Amino acid sequence: MLYRDEAIVLRTHKLGEADRIITLLTRQHGRVRAVAKGVRRTTSRFGSRLEPFTHVDLQLAEGRNLDTITQAETIAPFAKGLGLDYDRYTAGTVMLETADRLVTEEREPSVQQFLLLVGGLRAMTAGEHGPGQVLDSYLLRSLSVAGYAPSFEHCARCGTLPNPGAGPHRWFNPSMGGVLCATCRVPGSANPAPETVALLAALLSGDWAVVDVAHPRQLKESSGLVSAYLSWHLERGLKSMAYVER
C-alpha cells in the first residue's frame, strides 16, 4: 500500500552496498524508518533529497518491517543554509537528535513535534536570532510537547506564585520540573539570576523582544540550565551537544 507524507530527514545509515535506511519525522505518521534503494549510487534519482535536515514530500510503500521510499521531492533544503555556518549547523544537529529521542514510538502521529522542528530549522536558517537562543527555545518547547513542560513562574513543587514585586522564584531544579520557592528548595538546586529566569520564560513562550536584548551572561546561564533540564528528562545526554558552544 502506498501513502504520501511530508517529513524532515533526521538521520541515515548505510544498508548493503547501495541502499540507506532513512529515519524520518513525518507530519502524519510520526517517526518512520524507511529504505531508500540505490540512494548511494551516483545515478540515484533521489540525489541529495534524503540527507539530514531536508524537508521532503515523500511517497512510501508500506513494508513488514521497514517502508520503502518510492518518490522524494524537496520542499526546503535546510542543510544548504545551515552548512554555511558552523554554529547554526551544530545547533541544528542537536535539534534533529532531540526530535529523534523525544518521538520514541514509531508510526505514532506527532504533528506538534514535526511543526516545531520545521519552524525551528526555518528560524535557524533565517539567521534573525542567535543559534543558541533558537536552539534553547526549540528544546524547551519540544520538551513541553513531550510532556515535560518546565515551570518558570509557579513553584514547580507547591504551585505558588512569587510575592508581588519580589521577582521570580530564585531556585531551579531539573528533577523537580523548574523553579522552586524558598520553602520547596531542594539540595543541589541552581540559583539563577532573576533576569535568567525571565529569559527562560521568554525562550519558552517565544518572546523574542526579551530574548534578543538579553545580556550574554544571562544567555550563557540559561543555556546551561536548558541543557541540564534536557539531560535529566532524556536520562542520557545528546552526542551532538558536545559540538555546540554553550
Side-chain angles (χ1 to χ4, degrees):
M1 180 178 173
L2 297 175
Y3 67 94
R4 294 197 76 88
D5 207 341
E6 59 178 291
I8 295 287
V9 179
L10 300 180
R11 58 189 169 93
T12 71
H13 64 267
K14 295 176 182 178
L15 178 68
E17 293 185 359
D19 305 340
R20 275 201 178 111
I21 295 177
I22 314 292
T23 302
L24 306 155
L25 180 58
T26 70
R27 184 182 187 118
Q28 303 297 337
H29 298 82
R31 188 168 170 272
V32 171
R33 293 168 72 241
V35 175
K37 294 187 175 179
V39 73
R40 287 160 54 206
R41 295 194 182 103
T42 55
T43 55
S44 171
R45 66 185 187 280
F46 294 131
S48 61
R49 291 172 232 171
L50 296 176
E51 293 297 322
F53 294 113
T54 311
H55 184 189
V56 283
D57 178 69
L58 299 172
Q59 179 176 279
L60 302 100
E62 287 187 10
R64 184 176 297 177
N65 296 314
L66 294 170
D67 295 348
T68 300
I69 297 170
T70 57
Q71 291 179 14
E73 296 296 332
T74 302
I75 298 174
F78 291 123
K80 190 174 181 180
L82 295 176
L84 301 174
D85 186 300
Y86 179 79
D87 290 339
R88 293 187 186 280
Y89 179 82
T90 53
T93 62
V94 174
M95 295 166 72
L96 296 188
E97 189 180 353
T98 299
D100 196 15
R101 291 277 295 278
L102 287 178
V103 184
T104 54
E105 295 295 322
E106 293 200 8
R107 299 181 180 281
E108 284 291 320
S110 190
V111 178
Q112 282 184 286
Q113 290 287 9
F114 172 80
L115 294 175
L116 267 176
L117 183 57
V118 172
L121 291 174
R122 189 176 291 128
M124 192 70 78
T125 306
E128 295 177 5
H129 309 292
Q133 289 68 69
V134 174
L135 175 60
D136 287 341
S137 181
Y138 168 77
L139 294 175
L140 290 172
R141 293 188 195 193
S142 60
L143 283 164
S144 297
V145 169
Y148 308 122
S151 174
F152 297 126
E153 187 176 9
H154 296 77
C155 172
R157 194 171 190 179
C158 70
T160 59
L161 284 166
N163 292 325
H169 291 309
R170 291 299 307 275
W171 306 98
F172 179 87
N173 193 294
S175 67
M176 300 303 296
V179 294
L180 300 169
C181 66
T183 304
C184 294
R185 172 194 172 193
V186 295
S189 297
N191 181 214
E195 295 85 357
T196 301
V197 178
L199 173 58
L200 287 165
L203 287 164
L204 178 58
S205 65
D207 187 350
W208 291 103
V210 172
V211 174
D212 289 340
V213 297
H215 191 280
R217 185 169 57 250
Q218 269 75 61
L219 293 174
K220 185 173 183 179
E221 188 174 34
S222 66
S223 288
L225 296 175
V226 172
S227 294
Y229 194 80
L230 179 73
S231 295
W232 171 265
H233 287 289
L234 290 181
E235 297 181 351
R236 57 187 171 90
L238 299 173
K239 293 179 182 177
S240 53
M241 192 66 88
Y243 301 100
V244 175
E245 185 70 38
R246 302 298 275 174

